[in-house]
Structures are given as structure tokens and as C-alpha cells.
């Protein structure tokens, strides 16, 4: 996934620097693969939390059998790695949508899209270093030594609230939607530095 996002950033950057759009379809495909991978990863983590798959250290750390469905879903983004995965997925969807719509085909648009996918690549790097899919045996060997636990350690009590359940997704949607305006602003300043060339 990280490599796919890196390739996509490189292709969009190449298109910006050279004006050559011969790799446009490849960069669109790379964006689609990266975004699809993030969506699948988030859905898989959600299914693990809902089913109580305690072979996953993240699931064991953030859910428990006694929790209702809403708070099992909340467990998906209750800790750092899950939150980053949710944020990365939303950002990838926003950036890929701007690329696939194809309404803006100027060189500046390619730079904006490259910068946007660069943000997604940073998230991919973060998830490599702090994965929400680390096995329980690797993260908590003393717990896994007795076999797969029958129950999780539970959700932080501060998060067991309906408003806290909806707060992170709403916040991350806002952050994700700001990615492209940020990238457009950076591209504008780069354009000014290049003497106003788009």
C-alpha cells in the first residue's frame, strides 16, 4: 500500500514537471488501488472489532464482549492506529475523487493532486510503523501465552458515549475535506515561485 501511494505521487509529480500525461491512467489506477486498499483495511478492522477477533492486539485492547455494537465500532478508532487508518481512508477517498473526476487537468491540478496523495503516503508510512493489525502474540506475548483471550480489555470509559462515538468520524471527515484546499494553496505558492506558471 505504501509503495502504491509512493508510485502515485511520483507519477503525478512527473506529470506536473514535464507536462506529459501519458501516465495519467496509471496514476488513476494507482490512486484507485491505494484508496480501495484503505477501505478494505478499515472494513476488515471493523469486522474484527464486531466479531471480537482477539488474535488482533488492537481489537483486544479496544473492545470487549459486553460492549453494544455502536461501541464496538467506536473501538475501531478508539486508539492511535485505528484513528490514523480512518483518517487515511477518508483522505484517500477525497484525493482520489478529485483525480478521477478529471474536471481539472492543468499542470497545477496535477501538483495539487500529487501533494494530496503525498499526505496519504505519510499516513501509509505511519501505519507501517504503528499497524492496527499487529498480532496479539507480538504485542502482548504474556496475554497470548494462555491462548486466544475470550474477552477484550474493553473501551476507554471516556469513549462510551454517543457523542464521543460520532465525534472522531465527523472530525476526520472535516480534516480530509481540507486536504485538497491545502494542496491547492501550496500549489499556488509554488506557481508564484515559478513565476506564475500554472
Amino acid at each position: 500500500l505504501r509503495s502504491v501511494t509512493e508510485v502515485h505521487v511520483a507519477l503525478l509529480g512527473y506529470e506536473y514537471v514535464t507536462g506529459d500525461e501519458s501516465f495519467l491512467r496509471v496514476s488513476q489506477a494507482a490512486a484507485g488501488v491505494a484508496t480501495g486498499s484503505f477501505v478494505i483495511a478499515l472494513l476488515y478492522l471493523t469486522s474484527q472489532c464486531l466479531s471480537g477477533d482477539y488474535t488482533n492486539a488492537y481489537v483486544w485492547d479496544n473492545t470487549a464482549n459486553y460492549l453494544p455494537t455502536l461501541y464496538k465500532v467506536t473501538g475501531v478508532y478508539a486508539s492511535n492506529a485505528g484513528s490514523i487508518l480512518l483518517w487515511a481512508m477518508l483522505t484517500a477517498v477525497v484525493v482520489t475523487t478529485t483525480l478521477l473526476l478529471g474536471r481539472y487537468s492543468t499542470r497545477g491540478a496535477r501538483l495539487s493532486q500529487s501533494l494530496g496523495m503525498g499526505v496519504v503516503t505519510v499516513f501509509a508510512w505511519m501505519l507501517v510503523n504503528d499497524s492496527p493489525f499487529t498480532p496479539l502474540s507480538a504485542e502482548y506475548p504474556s496475554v497470548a501465552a494462555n491462548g486466544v483471550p475470550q474477552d477484550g480489555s474493553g473501551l476507554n470509559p471516556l469513549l462510551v458515549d454517543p457523542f464521543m462515538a460520532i465525534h472522531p468520524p465527523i472530525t476526520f471527515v472535516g480534516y480530509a475535506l481540507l486536504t485538497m484546499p491545502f494542496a491547492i494553496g501550496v500549489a499556488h505558492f509554488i506557481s508564484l515561485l515559478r513565476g506564475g506558471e500554472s
Side-chain angles (χ1 to χ4, degrees):
L1 177 58
R2 186 193 73 205
S3 299
V4 171
T5 59
E6 289 170 348
V7 167
H8 182 242
V9 171
L11 287 174
L12 287 173
Y14 172 80
E15 290 170 15
Y16 169 72
V17 171
T18 64
D20 179 9
E21 294 193 357
S22 57
F23 293 105
L24 179 58
R25 291 189 178 220
V26 176
S27 64
Q28 288 175 333
V33 168
T35 301
S37 299
F38 277 118
V39 170
I40 290 169
L42 186 66
L43 290 175
Y44 181 60
L45 182 61
T46 303
S47 72
Q48 285 187 310
C49 287
L50 288 172
S51 65
D53 183 357
Y54 300 124
T55 59
N56 181 335
Y58 186 89
V59 174
W60 179 80
D61 222 9
N62 293 287
T63 60
N65 296 338
Y66 71 88
L67 291 169
T69 301
L70 173 64
Y71 299 118
K72 287 184 179 181
V73 173
T74 303
V76 173
Y77 45 83
S79 193
N80 185 62
S83 295
I84 294 298
L85 178 58
L86 174 62
W87 192 354
M89 186 275 292
L90 292 169
T91 304
V93 167
V94 169
V95 175
T96 301
T97 300
T98 64
L99 178 64
L100 296 181
L101 286 177
R103 293 182 182 174
Y104 306 101
S105 58
T106 63
R107 289 178 66 190
R110 294 288 173 254
L111 178 59
S112 299
Q113 292 156 354
S114 178
L115 292 167
M117 193 53 75
V119 172
V120 177
T121 303
V122 171
F123 284 132
W125 272 98
M126 292 171 71
L127 289 167
V128 167
N129 295 324
D130 186 17
S131 172
F133 298 104
T134 304
L136 185 71
S137 57
E139 187 79 19
Y140 301 105
S142 60
V143 175
N146 300 319
V148 178
Q150 297 302 305
D151 202 354
S153 60
L155 189 63
N156 184 326
L158 294 174
L159 300 178
V160 183
D161 181 277
F163 294 105
M164 287 305 296
I166 64 171
H167 167 68
I170 291 172
T171 302
F172 291 140
V173 165
Y175 290 158
L177 290 172
L178 284 172
T179 303
M180 287 313 296
F182 161 76
I184 291 167
V186 172
H188 173 71
F189 284 112
I190 292 174
S191 173
L192 292 178
L193 291 173
R194 290 172 58 96
E197 182 183 351
S198 61

